């Protein structure tokens, strides 16, 4: 295998029984403009709501989102924030979303495991009871938890968008293993499955997730045309929010902090010049 | 200079206290009336910046410890909970995480400044060595702190670094097991790292006090490297340097804030937001940026034990530096040849940092395959790091010792005030004539 090279002298790694690493390749994520970029960028509220719908109707059947509670949806900066309900637990929209989910609980009278409708305080329930069940349901692959997914991947939202829109029918020389799909944006090494010229091994890797989105799969309530790109960018934005729900608060705080520090710096500089004016230095 | 104290207790309480515990006198002599060379430039403000960094890390760290759970099953989620549910938890946690990087930026500038202006030379050897001790403690603290969120890089980084001790002959394996508190990096390891991560900053604070004490015995070095000769050469620390340091700190905080508020994860590795999984090894295990030069030295050596020794040797160089540099001239302003080697040294450190972040076999010039030299292609990161590491050690072991004996330094000024007053551009033109028109 020409493309496989031995990583030299990764001394610490040597003890971890992983001396041989394949060269992983991937196509750089697509460049896409996000409304939340830059120091004052905010999430597009409509996009967050559409993204939530994509998550709810498509992703959540396999992917958990353990760290996010229903109430988060209604907090400041969240998809369903309503200024009338400063306490997101009271937000009727959030309550009704939660009620649609069945969550596990213990009956306090009998001790039996029961299911009850969710409340704003509950976390999003896991689609699988445990990891082996999740793997069994997905051909051995574990659908990653989505609470931190966006910041846990190099490239963040652009990476997620690229994966979702990047599935490609591979060339006939690439033998895709059963239950896998070729995606040029997925980091991986497909050289072992390539029968063509070794100089032309396609970039990217195999992913166990079948292409999840197709045009028209989710109907948007605001009438936005449901193209593949629209769904992908909306859900990428929703996941960016899910990993950084305090992003808008952080940036707003940051603008104030920068202005304060800037004024403070100018005052200190002026004081410095005044105090030092008679000292040759 | 630890001369005569000029403190005069004014109120009755101060007089009473001064005869029992002269703590106000200590603060006065250290921070108000401390005579400081008047020619310190902005490179000298990083000491104050570092003190602030330590303060920020301790304060944010104490708050984080109130919410953090040091348990393998809960650590990751507790950190996320801090960011999501604790009031301003995101602020405290991002300040702490980015604060570590800021701390290292500042300490590296501070150290290079010391190297350039010869601040390690007599009579400041102990001052310098105390600084090296602080740096060593900082590295240990930062490493253990990085393990605490228990992400993928936390865990696998901990495995790699603790395994380094396994390279020691005979006792290696026992030491590693003892460090781990078991036979793998696990809950006991996380617990002791948390405990030590909380302890070490206070040890740093202790050594910082010694560092400042040593500074106040010998006094500041200065860009000319010429010792202070008269009162003419100095200004009182307050208000002259409190305001200059204050301005520098404020500008530094602007950069700090830009990271915390607008790019909080830019300096970290994305993989660390994946919860630790001992069964899945990340594709590239890389330490945080501030350890990359040492990581490159470690990987540059084909033998593991030698690599570990070289890595620690790289830090040991700093400790013995005062006796390696044979030149009597402190500041490299007056050592043109040494200055050139110094800037190559800075470049070598940056190159090492660059190589440490890449795969050893990656090409330096993309797409170019030259020829196999021993175990790797010449156009590879591992060879580049070997050249840079060789320069790193030569700088300390060959260049500085030999240069001090062979070079011809430029003439040094007779006093700190001399170049200032003789330099027409720097003289305070019109200051005496019409001070009200300035500032």
């Amino acid at each position: 295998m020409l493309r496989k090279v031995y990583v030299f002298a990764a001394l610490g790694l040597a003890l971890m029984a992983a001396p041989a690493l394949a060269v992983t390749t991937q196509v750089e994520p697509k460049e896409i403009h996000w409304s939340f970029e830059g120091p004052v960028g905010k999430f597009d509220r409509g996009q967050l709501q559409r993204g939530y719908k994509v998550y709810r109707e498509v992703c959540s059947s396999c992917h958990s989102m353990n760290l996010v509670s229903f109430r988060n949806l209604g907090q400041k900066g969240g998809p369903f924030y309503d200024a009338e309900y400063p306490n997101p637990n009271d937000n009727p929209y959030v309550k009704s979303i939660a009620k649609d989910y069945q969550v596990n609980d213990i009956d306090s009278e009998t001790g039996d495991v029961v299911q009850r409708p969710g409340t704003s305080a509950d976390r999003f329930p896991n689609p699988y009871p445990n990891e082996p069940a999740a793997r069994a349901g997905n051909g051995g692959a574990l659908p990653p938890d989505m609470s931190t997914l966006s910041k846990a991947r190099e490239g963040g939202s652009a990476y997620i968008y690229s994966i979702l829109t990047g599935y490609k029918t591979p060339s006939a020389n690439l033998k895709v293993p059963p239950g896998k799909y070729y995606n040029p944006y997925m980091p991986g090494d497909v050289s072992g499955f390539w029968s063509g010229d070794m100089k032309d091994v396609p970039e990217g890797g195999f992913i166990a997730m079948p292409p999840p989105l197709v045009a028209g799969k989710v109907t948007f309530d605001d009438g936005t045309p449901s193209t593949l790109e629209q769904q992908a960018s909306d859900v990428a934005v929703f996941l960016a929010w899910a990993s950084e729900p305090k992003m808008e608060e952080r940036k707003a705080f940051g603008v104030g902090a920068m202005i304060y520090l800037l004024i403070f710096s100018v005052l200190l500089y002026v004081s410095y010049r005044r105090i030092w004016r008679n000292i040759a230095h | 200079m630890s001369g005569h104290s000029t403190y005069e207790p004014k109120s009755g309480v101060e007089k009473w206290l001064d005869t029992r515990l002269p703590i106000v006198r200590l603060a006065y002599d250290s921070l108000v009336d401390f005579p400081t060379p008047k020619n310190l430039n902005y490179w000298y403000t990083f000491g104050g910046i570092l003190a602030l960094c330590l303060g920020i890390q301790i304060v944010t760290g104490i708050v984080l410890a109130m919410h953090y759970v040091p348990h393998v099953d809960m650590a990751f989620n507790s950190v996320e909970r801090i960011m999501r549910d604790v009031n301003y938890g995101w602020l405290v946690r991002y300040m702490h995480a980015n604060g570590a990087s800021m701390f290292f930026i500042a300490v590296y500038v501070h150290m290079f400044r010391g190297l350039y202006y010869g601040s390690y030379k007599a009579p400041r050897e102990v001052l310098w060595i105390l600084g090296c001790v602080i740096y060593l403690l900082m590295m240990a603290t930062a490493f253990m702190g990085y393990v605490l969120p228990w992400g993928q890089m936390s865990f696998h980084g901990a495995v790699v670094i603790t395994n380094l001790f396994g390279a020691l002959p005979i006792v290696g394996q026992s030491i590693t097991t003892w460090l781990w508190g078991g036979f793998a990096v696990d809950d006991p390891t996380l617990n002791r790292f948390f405990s030590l991560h909380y302890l070490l900053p206070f040890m740093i604070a202790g050594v910082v006090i010694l560092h400042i004490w040593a500074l106040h015995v010998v006094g500041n070095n200065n860009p000319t490297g010429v010792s202070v000769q008269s009162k003419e050469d100095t200004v009182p620390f307050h208000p002259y340097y409190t305001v200059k340091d204050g301005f520098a700190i404020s500008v530094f905080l602007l950069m700090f804030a830009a990271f915390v508020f607008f790019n909080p994860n830019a300096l970290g590795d994305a993989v660390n937001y994946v919860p630790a999984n001992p069964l899945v090894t990340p594709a590239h295990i890389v330490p945080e940026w501030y350890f990359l030069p040492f990581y490159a030295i470690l990987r540059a050596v084909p033998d593991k034990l030698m690599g570990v020794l070289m890595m620690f040797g790289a830090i040991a160089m700093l400790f013995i530096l005062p006796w390696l540099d044979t030149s009597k001239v402190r500041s490299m302003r007056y050592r043109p040849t040494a200055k050139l080697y110094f800037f190559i040294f800075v470049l070598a450190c940056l190159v090492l940092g660059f190589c440490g972040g890449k795969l050893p076999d990656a090409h330096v010039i993309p797409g170019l395959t030259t020829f196999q030299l021993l175990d790797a292609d010449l156009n590879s990161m591992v060879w580049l790091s070997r050249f840079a590491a060789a320069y790193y050690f030569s700088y300390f072991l060959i260049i500085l010792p030999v240069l001090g004996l062979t070079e011809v330094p430029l003439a040094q000024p007779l006093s700190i005030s001399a170049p200032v007053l003789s330099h027409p551009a720097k003289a305070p033109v019109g200051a005496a004539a019409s001070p009200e028109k300035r500032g």
Side-chain angles (χ1 to χ4, degrees), chain B residues 108 112 115 289 291-297 300 314 339-357 381-396 399:
Chain B
Y108 284 136
F112 279 125
L115 286 174
W289 69 266
F291 292 139
L292 290 176
F294 299 104
Y295 196 54
I297 292 176
K339 188 194 273 188
L340 177 71
Y341 285 115
F342 170 79
F343 285 118
I344 301 174
F345 174 74
V346 175
L347 185 71
C349 293
L350 294 174
V351 166
L352 281 171
F354 169 74
C355 294
M381 292 296 166
V382 71
W383 272 109
L384 184 60
S385 24
R386 279 172 192 169
F387 292 129
Y391 185 83
Y392 181 99
F393 284 100
S394 321
Y395 180 76
F396 289 108
I399 296 171

Side-chain angles (χ1 to χ4, degrees), chain A residues 100-119:
Chain A
D100 284 347
Y101 279 87
Q102 289 293 312
V103 298
N104 287 333
D105 206 345
I106 302 287
D107 189 313
S108 57
E109 299 286 320
T110 64
D112 293 336
V113 177
V114 291
Q115 293 229 305
R116 60 162 175 81
T119 67

Side-chain angles (χ1 to χ4, degrees), chain A residues 83-162:
Chain A
E84 244 182 82
Y85 301 99
N87 179 352
N89 289 294
D90 301 333
N91 186 316
Y93 203 85
V94 170
K95 280 180 166 172
S96 77
I97 287 174
K99 235 192 306 187
D100 284 347
Y101 279 87
Q102 289 293 312
V103 298
N104 287 333
D105 206 345
I106 302 287
D107 189 313
S108 57
E109 299 286 320
T110 64
D112 293 336
V113 177
V114 291
Q115 293 229 305
R116 60 162 175 81
T119 67
S120 317
D122 285 313
R123 301 271 169 101
F124 276 86
N126 202 322
Y128 297 101
N130 49 48
E131 187 184 322
R135 285 188 187 275
N138 291 282
L142 179 68
D145 183 81
M146 281 187 158
S147 352
T148 56
L149 191 67
S150 190
K151 56 181 175 180
R153 295 291 180 277
E154 208 63 60
S157 308
Y159 169 81
I160 292 173
Y161 173 82
S162 304

Side-chain angles (χ1 to χ4, degrees), chain A residues 31-222:
Chain A
E31 290 220 8
I32 177 163
H33 173 76
W34 305 102
S35 66
F36 58 85
E37 281 168 10
V40 290
K42 288 184 167 195
F43 294 119
D44 178 329
R45 210 63 41 199
Q47 201 167 20
L48 278 182
Q49 296 180 358
R50 292 195 299 274
Y52 170 69
K53 198 165 188 203
V54 178
Y55 168 75
R56 171 74 174 111
E57 294 182 7
V58 184
C59 317
S60 70
S61 52
C62 301
H63 289 275
S64 59
M65 197 161 63
N66 287 329
L67 301 171
V68 181
S69 306
F70 296 112
R71 66 181 160 80
N72 294 136
L73 297 171
Q75 77 192 17
K76 237 180 187 167
F80 302 108
Y81 173 66
D82 186 341
E84 244 182 82
Y85 301 99
N87 179 352
N89 289 294
D90 301 333
N91 186 316
Y93 203 85
V94 170
K95 280 180 166 172
S96 77
I97 287 174
K99 235 192 306 187
D100 284 347
Y101 279 87
Q102 289 293 312
V103 298
N104 287 333
D105 206 345
I106 302 287
D107 189 313
S108 57
E109 299 286 320
T110 64
D112 293 336
V113 177
V114 291
Q115 293 229 305
R116 60 162 175 81
T119 67
S120 317
D122 285 313
R123 301 271 169 101
F124 276 86
N126 202 322
Y128 297 101
N130 49 48
E131 187 184 322
R135 285 188 187 275
N138 291 282
L142 179 68
D145 183 81
M146 281 187 158
S147 352
T148 56
L149 191 67
S150 190
K151 56 181 175 180
R153 295 291 180 277
E154 208 63 60
S157 308
Y159 169 81
I160 292 173
Y161 173 82
S162 304
I163 287 279
L164 291 172
T165 57
Y167 285 89
K168 248 169 73 177
T169 320
S171 112
N173 285 333
L174 188 66
K175 196 174 164 350
V176 180
K180 300 272 182 193
Y181 304 84
Y182 169 66
N183 195 316
Y185 298 96
M186 180 81 184
D189 172 23
V190 297
S191 55
F193 303 86
W194 178 251
S195 53
D197 188 341
M198 283 322 248
K199 283 196 174 117
D200 305 326
V201 178
E203 287 187 289
F206 297 127
I207 184 169
M209 173 172 71
L213 302 174
V214 284
K217 189 157 187 175
V218 180
T219 312
F220 292 130
D221 305 329
D222 59 0

